[in-house]
Amino acid sequence: MAKSAVSQFMDQFSCPVCLDGLKVPVTIPCGHSYCMSCITDCWDQKEQGPPYRCPQCRESFRQKPLLKKNTLIAEMMETLQKTSLQMAAVDCDVCITEKNRAVKSCLQCLASFCQTHLQPHYESPAFMKHKLVEASRNIQENICLSHGKLLEIYCQEDGQRICCLCTDNHKGHSVVFVDSEWTSKKTEVSCQKLIQERESRQRELSEAVKLLTNSALQTMEDVEKVFAELICSLEKKRFEIKEQIRAQEKTEINRAEELHKHLDQELTELRKRQSKTKKLLTTDDQVYCLKSCQSVSVLPTFEGGITQHTHLFFKDISISMFKEVLEDVCQQQTARIFREVSNVYVTNRPEPKTKNDFLQYFCELHLDLNTAHQNIKLSEDNRKISSSEIAQQYPDQPERFNERPYILSRDGLYGRFYWEVECSGNEWAVGVCYIGIKRKGSTYDCALGFNNKSWRLGYFMKNFGFIHEQENVSIPVVSRIGVYLDYRAGTLSFYSVSDTMTLLHRVQTTFTEPLYPAFKVGAGSSARIIDLKKDHSRRGRKLFL
């Protein structure tokens, strides 16, 4: 290996933090390698906390990765350092006054030569069979001390190099030329490196599985704890509601009893008056009767109303609505948790290929009407986005696009997701963006695909293609687009959907924020988000029929 090549390899195996050769090299999950002390110091800084990021590609990790020495890189560094020492400048043994740098050493001549004094070895037949090697100070190590001959034979039994005259002392041993043994050993070393690499990957995989198992157990314990607390809270609320009903029942019964008692008293009084009145009416003394009637003519008034529908007192309380609201919240949150759980994996799963492969990542999009431009109109089911000549009466919102005919999804995505869109017209686009894309104005900061916050596929200036940061990639026109996002892998893929899935364009990058599906519909254009569950079911029924 030439010295320049050694230097080049040493540069490739330098730490991006300290810029020196890797010392106790470690490789983090994104694939970049650092000195163990450098990356540890970097992550242990006060301002550095979860998530932990790679200083080069900025990929983030929720938990601090387990750092282990990369034995393969460590051995390569050791070999490169030894080679570098061996390749230190060697002077020409023939130069007298001014020593030139030697370029080759001759194992027969036991001397090193500069480019000028090496020419006889190339031109004279007497030197044609001499073995030339890279210039080295340790050339004497290749000569037999007993016979002064070149150590060109290798004894496999004793594991040592010998000269042609030493073979008498190694009769019956398996001997081969050193060059042949070196070629064989290089293959073995190469395989050994591969074995070490695989063993290292196995250890990493075992460690990852262990971490995954511990994480699963911890999360399940958290689930048990949260649901136990939730059940306890519901039990408490149930008790409080029942107690409130009992208290109200008791209050109203006491009030009814008081009213009942008051009515009994009034009835008794009224009956007495009625008896007196009857007696007065039977007398013939009219003067006496008129005087006495004045005292019994003032009747007591009844205070307190009584409902006409007593059986509806507590029936009006809608307990069933309480149940429906809870179930709706549980359904939404359970779906969210299921999505997050499905995005936990030890190794990168293969890219989906068939329609059924993509369907397992189907994501039902919910459009955010607060972001819609005033010339965008939604269908009743909020799935079809159409351009409208009549401005819609949307309230003014900070997140609404006021110049660009865009609308965003309500939810940000950060896992594996797939959705499909059927588009028509010649001014539409399907893409994704960060939440921070500007909404007001018509500059490139607001334009989908024309900045570093957005990616899109669709029509632009009568051309169909993919755009990101103003760079345009032309693509054959299609109308039904499948979008597949693998957030952690940094992959965003656009497919033409028919009986097969045809890749149109794939983005490979590092996403730093959740992505929001985005849509553009210009004049005379529309886009319909496909309900893949219904669509897939309908196709299945057609096949069955």
Side-chain angles (χ1 to χ4, degrees), residues 223-241:
V223 169
E224 286 292 332
K225 180 181 178 182
V226 168
F227 273 83
E229 291 174 353
L230 184 59
I231 291 170
C232 182
S233 177
L234 286 174
E235 289 284 352
K236 183 178 178 181
K237 294 300 177 188
R238 181 179 69 172
F239 176 79
E240 290 175 355
I241 292 172

Side-chain angles (χ1 to χ4, degrees), residues 103-123:
V103 294
K104 293 287 183 182
S105 295
C106 178
L107 297 181
Q108 274 73 23
C109 299
L110 298 182
S112 299
F113 305 96
C114 64
Q115 191 65 48
T116 301
H117 293 119
L118 185 63
Q119 290 305 310
H121 277 78
Y122 294 130
E123 299 170 356

